[in-house]
Amino acid sequence: MSTSGGSKRNFDIKEEDHNNDIPQGPLPGLKRHDSLDIESSRFPDHHDRHNTEGNWRAIVKLAFQSIGVVYGDIGTSPLYVYASTFFNGIKHEDDILGVLSIIFYTITLIPVIKYIMIVLHANDNGDGGTFALYSKLCRYAKVGLIPSEQVEDQEVSNFRLELPNKTNKIASKIKKSLESRNFAKFLLLFAAMLGTSMVIGDGILTPSISVLSAVSGLKKATSTITEGSIVVISVVILMTLFMVQRFGTDKVGYTFAPIICVWFSLIVGVGVYNFFKFDPSVAKSINPKYIIDYFKRNKKDAWISLGGIVLSITGTEAMFADVGHFTVKSIQISMGCVVYPALITAYSGQASWLRKHKDEVVDTFYNSVPDGLYWPVFVAAVMAAIIASQAIISGTFSIIKQSLSLGCFPRVQIVHTSTKYEGQVFIPEMNYLLMIGCVLVTVTFKTTEKIGHAYGIAVIFAETLTSSFMVVIMLVIWKTNILLVILYVLMISTTEYIYLSSVLYKFSQGGYLPFLFAIALVFIMCTWNYVYRAKYNYEINHKVSQEVIKDMIMDMNISRMRGLAIFYSELAHGIPPIFKHYVDNVPALHSVIVFVSIKSLPISKVPTEERFLFRRVKPNELYVFRCVVRYGYTDMRNENESFEKILIKRLKDSIESNYGVLEEQGRTVEEDVATLEKASRTGIVHLVGEHEIVSRKGSSIGKRFLIDYAYNFMKKNLRKSYNVFEIPQKRMLKVGMTYEL
């Protein structure tokens, strides 16, 4: 683990009291320095980046990149929406107007009004996704289930929310109800996990169907190509796409953005051409009367056809999930100025063409393209369809990064791929798992028709969960007028649930696939979170008391060694039991001991000056300190300076800031600093707990399965904590201890 140096701010060292619980902040009146530097200090502030009013050049640049990353999925929907909607053919001429009207109002209502105008503003200091909404609720109301929460966390500037200066009885009642009921707390966490799992599951389905549908277009170019060849080519393209993810969203966006821009230009051109050539009167579909007539004529078939129309907004959730890679304004600009008008024009042009060619609905898109533009459009369509998977892949990385900070996902490596924008990340483990999943789905189902039954269900389900969180946020945090909240539910939530009911109609025909993915992911996340909380509570219940520490210090049988020992633990509320276990088996103590707790907060970024919290445990012969190092889920680490050097530097600054306390104890700052420097020069050893987690005797079968088998399997096959934190291997000692939970 590493960190960069720079400006300083110090947190004081306070004598450990009897409770030995919480690291304290600076004492009033003590000397402080300016600001404590952290690993992400060389990067622009994420929150500030999302509020750069005057930096339009950077915003437009990000808007251009977002076209290549965010909109591939929704941008290629004109390829198959009409064919999927009219699966039984067009029975009445005005059915075309009814479907076009539904498409127009659906795109306007969900992507534009819901996401662009409302949901994007609920970002968590610039980051989006289900967990971003959940973290906002956790910070405002006491509904979080993170066991390492401390009072000091609420003093972090980013932890506090900008709240409207008004009171609301409904908001107070809902907040009190959520805080007082454990069921509500678990339900919110489960909903966040389920929403995340649905998006990850869609990260497997979307690349599979996008690439397979693109390559299947080769059948029109040559009749000799076989289904097996199409599958092989699709697998090769999928593997290549996932392999280039390590280069980062920044490079991928610049590579793909021009292609998607060409695609949008072509579908707009074709749409305008067809609109004026065949039937400009389709413009009257803006009248919602045609929607009512469509349902009156077709009844159940009209409801089932919504499963095809919903494909016009598949990938919309990526706008919110990917906002951390870009900015709110850049997403709004690209959607409002490019994507929305292009999609409406394309669908209107196809509807105009269908009014004269009702019998050719099976291949509406390609048949509606003028002969002279067929090959350019085909090539652009193939490339754009391949790019469509990029949106969900980058969105998946973002939401996994957030879930890690809440202890809801196993440890994985987070690679930051941009030195300019800290939200752009790559997760190697998940990248490989997504690639394997996509390849298996493609090889197993082989055709887009078979995958199509499941396509879109995961995203629609995630959108309904997002709406549910938004209703709570509007009521509790934003204190929105109840009439506006009711309007949101009636217009947006109701629309989404109607679409969800339609796609679930095909559950037995393949719609179960995203739910299988979601069940597996929710099980992994729930298991990890359950054991994470149980392990933390075990450490709290078995932490080393003040009396035991005194006995250790006074025990003449315990040898004294020169040097500095750094104990790593997740416990932020005292001395971990692993310390006593270590001393019992190795009766020796270093001259300086620092207990370090690496802690993630449910916020996107911890300000640089609020990173470290120090506290002195016992100011006698031994120098024993506790340090809580706090990170947000977008904070980075660089490799310019080791973590131990920064830790020693900050500890030294903290000692210097407490000259008044030291003088009262008859010591000088110089003596304490000299002791610290001498210990660090003598040698630094990193001690990491290697815990064996087992269930207690007499535990239920379910508990034994979760802990002894499921959790331990994940733990053995994923990254260890010292790999995540990059602790020097040559100076690391692993201390084994068994936790019976």
Side-chain angles (χ1 to χ4, degrees), residues 480-491:
T480 307
N481 187 293
I482 187 64
L483 295 178
L484 293 177
V485 177
I486 292 174
L487 182 63
Y488 177 92
V489 172
L490 291 177
M491 291 184 60

Side-chain angles (χ1 to χ4, degrees), residues 379-570:
V379 173
V382 170
M383 299 182 73
I386 295 171
I387 294 167
S389 56
Q390 177 61 43
I392 200 66
I393 294 172
S394 55
T396 298
F397 292 157
S398 295
I399 59 177
I400 289 175
K401 175 188 62 176
Q402 296 171 13
S403 64
L404 279 169
S405 69
L406 299 175
C408 296
F409 205 85
R411 296 188 188 102
V412 290
Q413 182 186 14
I414 305 292
V415 178
H416 296 270
T417 58
S418 175
T419 57
K420 297 179 181 178
Y421 309 110
E422 71 271 23
Q424 300 184 359
V425 297
F426 166 68
I427 303 176
E429 292 95 334
M430 284 307 303
N431 190 62
Y432 291 127
L433 289 176
L434 287 174
M435 180 179 71
I436 293 171
C438 287
V439 170
L440 288 177
V441 168
T442 304
V443 172
T444 303
F445 287 89
K446 295 181 181 179
T447 64
T448 56
E449 289 78 15
K450 294 179 180 178
I451 304 176
H453 295 307
Y455 189 51
I457 289 182
V459 168
I460 293 301
F461 205 96
E463 288 180 2
T464 59
L465 288 172
T466 297
S467 287
S468 300
F469 272 110
M470 284 305 304
V471 169
V472 179
I473 287 175
M474 285 189 286
L475 286 173
V476 178
I477 300 179
W478 291 352
K479 298 180 175 63
T480 307
N481 187 293
I482 187 64
L483 295 178
L484 293 177
V485 177
I486 292 174
L487 182 63
Y488 177 92
V489 172
L490 291 177
M491 291 184 60
I492 295 176
S493 297
T494 302
T495 301
E496 290 173 338
Y497 281 113
I498 291 173
Y499 274 119
L500 182 61
S501 68
S502 178
V503 295
L504 288 176
Y505 180 77
K506 298 180 180 179
F507 183 84
S508 61
Q509 303 172 36
Y512 59 84
L513 193 60
F515 287 96
L516 290 179
F517 292 143
I519 289 171
L521 288 166
V522 167
F523 174 77
I524 290 172
M525 297 172 76
C526 286
T527 300
W528 190 269
N529 181 261
Y530 169 75
V531 178
Y532 168 78
R533 288 186 288 109
K535 184 176 68 172
Y536 197 93
N537 291 330
Y538 177 92
E539 290 189 334
I540 289 179
N541 295 331
H542 294 82
K543 64 185 178 182
V544 183
S545 67
Q546 181 83 9
E547 291 72 18
V548 172
I549 294 179
K550 287 181 180 179
D551 293 341
M552 289 181 184
I553 294 173
M554 302 303 296
D555 192 345
M556 301 305 297
N557 294 321
I558 298 179
S559 304
R560 270 48 173 185
M561 296 185 297
R562 291 181 297 175
L564 170 63
I566 302 176
F567 280 82
Y568 291 89
S569 170
E570 292 180 344

Side-chain angles (χ1 to χ4, degrees), residues 53 139 193 211 228 260 291 428 487 574 577 664:
E53 295 289 344
R139 299 206 306 278
M193 290 181 179
V211 173
I260 297 296
I291 299 177
L487 182 63
E664 292 177 4

